[in-house]
Amino acid sequence: MKFARHVLEYIAAGALLAVLALLPLSLATRIALFVSRALFASLPRLRRIGLRNLELAFPNLPLAERCRLLKQSFENFGRIIADFAHFSRTTPAHLAARVETSLPQALQARYRAAKAAGRGVIFVTPHLGNWEILALAASAIFVPVAYLARSLDNLCSNTTPRVSAAASATAPLTSAIQFWKVSPSLTAVVTSAFWPT
């Protein structure tokens, strides 16, 4: 039963991503927002879990405010999906125009010192906003990145390679990000590792 559900979820997600990839990003985003709002309205169990998590995190926040935050979280996921669908044809120039990157001079100096010494650098990043685009933008604009994440809950999704980025300023993003899967029991690991090249 679980395998059948995973197959159906995988097919539905793949079809949605394929359709969104064919559309201009602005239209893909509007459609993904519509789908995320529909999911928010039609998945009461997921809403209950989200509201409970928000209650634990913000016990003094009124229920109406927690509901608003949860709805915004679903909407943000829709925007992430639209962006994700377009990653395969995104160029570094496109990313540089859309993503503001600023690494403090002190951190840049520490990175250069580590690179000169032949050592890597690990950045621990929060799971906020469009976290998927962070490693992609860093690879395209700054330096190739390797990152860690736990395996996806859907077993079918774990059989396909992740989107990756290229170092070229004009080519589609295809090769500079490395993705390392880790144990499903390892949670909340979102790191960007910059290794000297």
Side-chain angles (χ1 to χ4, degrees):
M1 187 67 174
K2 189 176 192 178
F3 178 73
R5 191 188 86 221
H6 282 188
V7 169
L8 290 174
E9 287 174 352
Y10 179 77
I11 291 170
L16 177 64
L17 287 171
V19 168
L20 294 177
L22 295 173
L23 302 172
L25 182 58
S26 59
L27 179 58
T29 301
R30 287 197 301 272
I31 291 171
L33 280 170
F34 173 81
V35 171
S36 67
R37 289 171 182 146
L39 289 174
F40 177 78
S42 63
L43 297 173
R45 181 178 175 272
L46 201 54
R47 279 198 318 271
R48 278 195 308 275
I49 291 170
L51 286 173
R52 178 61 180 144
N53 287 340
L54 286 169
E55 181 183 10
L56 292 170
F58 305 105
N60 298 326
L61 206 61
L63 176 60
E65 186 64 15
R66 290 197 300 265
C67 288
R68 187 183 67 78
L69 285 174
L70 185 61
K71 185 177 180 191
Q72 287 177 337
S73 178
F74 269 78
E75 290 172 348
N76 186 60
F77 185 71
R79 284 187 287 276
I80 289 170
I81 292 299
D83 277 335
F84 186 79
H86 284 82
F87 278 178
S88 64
R89 65 176 189 233
T90 299
T91 65
H94 182 237
L95 277 173
R98 290 188 60 219
V99 178
E100 181 182 334
T101 57
S102 60
L103 193 60
Q105 291 297 325
L107 289 180
Q108 289 185 38
R110 290 175 79 177
Y111 166 74
R112 287 190 192 94
K115 183 176 180 179
R119 294 180 292 118
V121 176
I122 296 177
F123 291 88
V124 179
T125 59
H127 221 201
L128 299 172
N130 189 342
W131 62 87
E132 295 289 347
I133 209 166
L134 176 64
L136 194 65
S139 286
I141 298 165
F142 185 53
V143 66
V145 170
Y147 67 99
L148 299 176
R150 73 174 180 86
S151 297
L152 299 173
D153 294 335
N154 185 304
L155 301 175
C156 298
S157 298
N158 287 320
T159 63
T160 56
R162 289 294 195 279
V163 167
S164 51
S168 163
T170 55
L173 303 174
T174 55
S175 66
I177 290 182
Q178 297 173 0
F179 176 79
W180 300 330
K181 285 198 299 184
V182 293
S183 164
S185 63
L186 184 61
T187 59
V189 173
V190 185
T191 63
S192 297
F194 291 80
W195 300 105
T197 53

